[in-house]
Amino acid sequence: MEITQFVEALRLDGGLLADAAEQAGPDAPVPSCPEWRIRDLVTHVGRVHRWATECVTRPADEPAEFPAAPDLADRDRVSWLREGHHRLVVALHTAPPDLKTWTFLSAPSPLAFWARRQAHETSVHRVDTQQAAGTTLTPLPSSFAADGIDERLAMFRSQNRCRIQADVPRTLRVRATDAADADWTVDLFAQEPGAGVDCTVEGPAEQLYLALWNRLPWDGLTVTGDAAVLDLWRQQTAD
């Protein structure tokens, strides 16, 4: 996907997230993050957006300091979210293509990294707010969802905190049935690769994407092999 497509996805999902947060109300529980209420989710996303904006607009070799949670009345929280979201969209839209700044995953460029990461961060949390509000989930394009699967698995592979602990190696294959070249195989236990594939899960890219982020169940997807691998994923990648 192009950087402009990620920025547009971020723009759209950020608006939908704020709309659903207003509809749900600050006290609504967030089903996918049981320890959170909507006010917590809005605060988290608003802080992430401001942090990302700082990383983009003040390039450095180290990450910007993560902003403190604001002292806001509930009635002001969503407008604060909208303001930070708008600033991030503008920052990404106006950043130079050769931007040099800190990132934490490999990408074609730092600008591509931040546009992609913030688009998917916002997309997943938009789903959270729509689930909290009890509204129908806004569909995701299969190309965007497939890219999100790729980023999710890349994040898993590159960050030690995402590693799954298992007694023996486990290998998971993920294949999207509605996107081209959307087929991944990942070793879940980092110390040594497994022999062959222990579990394969197949289905629409959007459903796979949200299941890998623990926002939807594996139900309705085609699972072959050892389904306990999916239980391991869900238990140890809670977000």
Side-chain angles (χ1 to χ4, degrees), residues 50-65:
R50 284 164 170 79
W51 174 69
T53 300
E54 187 76 4
C55 290
V56 170
T57 58
R58 298 181 184 272
D61 294 332
E62 299 293 332
E65 183 176 353

Side-chain angles (χ1 to χ4, degrees), residues 178-206:
D178 58 349
D181 302 319
D183 196 330
W184 304 263
T185 300
V186 59
D187 295 318
L188 301 184
F189 186 54
Q191 292 186 2
E192 58 180 295
V197 173
D198 296 294
C199 179
T200 297
V201 57
E202 301 174 279
E206 180 180 19

Side-chain angles (χ1 to χ4, degrees), residues 155-172 186-194 232 236:
M155 187 181 296
F156 166 82
R157 289 192 296 265
S158 67
Q159 295 187 308
N160 287 334
R161 70 182 180 86
C162 295
R163 298 293 188 189
I164 286 178
Q165 301 301 311
D167 296 332
V168 295
R170 289 288 184 268
T171 302
L172 173 65
V186 59
D187 295 318
L188 301 184
F189 186 54
Q191 292 186 2
E192 58 180 295
L232 272 176
Q236 298 194 32

Side-chain angles (χ1 to χ4, degrees), residues 4 8 34 69 95 101 148 151 156 160 202 238:
T4 54
E8 178 63 8
T101 194
E151 195 220 33
F156 166 82
N160 287 334
E202 301 174 279

Side-chain angles (χ1 to χ4, degrees), residues 5 19 21 27 32 39 64 69 75-76 83 104 113 123 129 137 152 172 207 209 237-239:
Q5 293 175 290
D19 291 345
D27 287 319
S32 50
R39 68 169 58 85
R75 66 178 179 274
D76 299 325
E83 177 191 4
F104 59 87
F113 163 80
S123 175
T129 57
L137 298 185
R152 176 62 162 153
L172 173 65
Q207 194 171 348
Y209 172 53
T237 62
D239 184 76

Side-chain angles (χ1 to χ4, degrees), residues 68-86:
D71 183 13
L72 292 172
D74 283 337
R75 66 178 179 274
D76 299 325
R77 206 172 297 270
V78 174
S79 60
W80 171 83
L81 170 70
R82 291 187 192 276
E83 177 191 4
H85 167 249
H86 174 72

Side-chain angles (χ1 to χ4, degrees), residues 124-143:
V124 170
H125 286 312
R126 183 267 298 164
V127 169
D128 290 335
T129 57
Q130 289 183 333
Q131 289 175 331
T135 60
T136 301
L137 298 185
T138 302
L140 288 169
S142 59
S143 58

